[in-house]
């Protein structure tokens, strides 16, 4: 009943924590929840659940009531936003739909970097305390380590949330994915350019 309505709203909430009322304020929560589940099973979107990141596996510490989503494909996402692909070369990525384009791309690539015969899973980290909220775009598990990942659309940007996660769990180092060149930064952050996102496990393994 609500599939078409829900599907038509997906591109508006990419990279945001999902609130059912934003999809349809007049629909019952269970109806929208069921529609999202069906769209996920059909492969039209991927749900990214919040995880405390306290240990492995990430799924064991996941909060299934708190999640974000990404679209099936970045090309279809651009089309649904009615954006000409040429705009990517003309505008700062941070100006395109509040930077959700970059989060969509990285999420899509991280899914591609997972084993092809297993159901892909992605997680993020969020702290919602009043006055000290923080959010890390993605958490990546490599063997026994959990690596926080921040996606930056612009050439610069603070990594306050990433460092908060590192300090909380003594995770060693984090990853920033942006248009900057690959480099190891003094604050224990591995900077990876967008085009190397699918190589993230190999790159982390070589520096850990």
């Amino acid at each position: 009943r609500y599939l078409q309505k829900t599907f038509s709203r997906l591109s508006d909430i990419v990279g945001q924590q999902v609130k059912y009322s934003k999809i349809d304020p007049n629909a019952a929560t269970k109806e929208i929840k069921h529609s999202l589940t069906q769209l996920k099973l059909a492969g039209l979107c991927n749900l990214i659940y919040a995880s405390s990141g306290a240990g492995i596996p990430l799924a064991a510490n996941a909060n299934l009531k708190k999640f974000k989503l990404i679209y099936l494909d970045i090309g279809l996402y651009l089309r649904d936003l009615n954006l000409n692909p040429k705009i990517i070369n003309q505008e700062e990525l941070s100006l395109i739909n509040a930077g959700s384009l970059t989060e969509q791309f990285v999420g899509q690539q991280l899914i591609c970097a997972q084993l092809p015969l297993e159901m892909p899973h992605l997680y993020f980290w969020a702290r919602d305390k009043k006055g000290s909220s923080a959010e890390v775009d993605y958490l990546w598990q490599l063997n026994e380590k959990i690596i926080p990942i921040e996606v930056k659309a612009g050439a610069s940007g603070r990594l306050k949330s990433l460092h908060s996660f590192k300090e909380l769990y003594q995770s060693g180092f984090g990853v920033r994915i942006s248009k900057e060149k690959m480099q190891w930064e003094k604050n224990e952050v591995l900077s990876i350019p967008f085009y190397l996102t699918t190589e993230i496990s190999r790159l982390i393994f070589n520096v850990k």
Side-chain angles (χ1 to χ4, degrees):
R1 181 181 175 186
Y2 290 98
L3 277 175
Q4 187 62 49
K5 175 70 173 181
T6 304
F7 181 70
S8 68
R9 295 289 290 162
L10 292 184
S11 60
D12 298 326
I13 55 177
V14 165
Q16 303 176 27
Q17 290 192 40
V18 173
K19 294 182 179 180
Y20 297 117
S21 60
K22 191 168 183 179
I23 295 175
D24 190 336
N26 300 313
T29 295
K30 65 177 182 179
E31 299 285 0
I32 301 301
K33 182 178 180 181
H34 178 68
S35 296
L36 276 176
T37 300
Q38 296 302 308
L39 292 172
K40 175 189 175 184
L41 291 174
L44 297 176
C45 66
N46 286 280
L47 304 187
I48 307 162
Y49 294 102
S51 175
S52 70
I56 59 173
L58 287 168
N61 299 295
N63 181 352
L64 301 183
K65 294 182 179 180
K66 182 186 293 187
F67 62 93
K68 303 189 294 184
L69 65 80
I70 58 173
Y71 214 66
L72 161 68
D73 174 79
I74 194 168
L76 295 175
Y77 175 50
L78 284 170
R79 180 64 186 87
D80 202 40
L81 291 175
N82 293 314
L83 293 176
N84 189 319
K86 293 181 180 179
I87 197 173
I88 296 177
N89 295 322
Q90 299 171 353
E91 300 284 350
E92 276 288 332
L93 295 180
S94 58
L95 301 179
I96 302 176
N97 210 29
S100 64
L101 182 66
T102 53
E103 196 163 335
Q104 163 70 35
F105 174 79
V106 171
Q108 190 175 321
Q109 294 296 92
L110 290 175
I111 287 175
C112 291
Q114 298 182 39
L115 295 175
L117 298 181
E118 295 183 3
M119 182 67 71
H121 296 284
L122 279 179
Y123 300 92
F124 73 102
W125 177 74
R127 183 180 61 198
D128 298 326
K129 292 182 179 180
K130 187 176 181 180
S132 62
S133 61
E135 182 177 312
V136 171
D137 295 318
Y138 297 106
L139 296 179
W140 188 254
Q141 182 179 329
L142 180 61
N143 299 327
E144 77 285 358
K145 292 185 177 295
I146 297 175
I147 312 297
I149 300 173
E150 281 278 17
V151 180
K152 293 298 180 184
S156 61
R158 299 179 63 188
L159 301 171
K160 186 177 179 180
S161 295
L162 185 146
H163 291 302
S164 294
F165 181 91
K166 285 171 54 185
E167 292 171 6
L168 181 62
Y169 294 117
Q170 299 296 306
S171 61
F173 70 93
V175 170
R176 176 177 65 182
I177 300 179
S178 68
K179 64 181 183 181
E180 294 299 292
K181 65 181 180 180
M182 183 174 172
Q183 59 185 318
W184 176 251
E185 301 179 5
K186 294 180 181 179
N187 54 4
E188 296 187 318
V189 172
L190 176 64
S191 182
I192 297 177
F194 289 124
Y195 66 88
L196 285 178
T197 301
T198 54
E199 298 295 316
I200 186 169
S201 290
R202 177 178 64 84
L203 297 173
I204 291 174
F205 185 80
N206 287 334
V207 300
K208 69 176 184 175

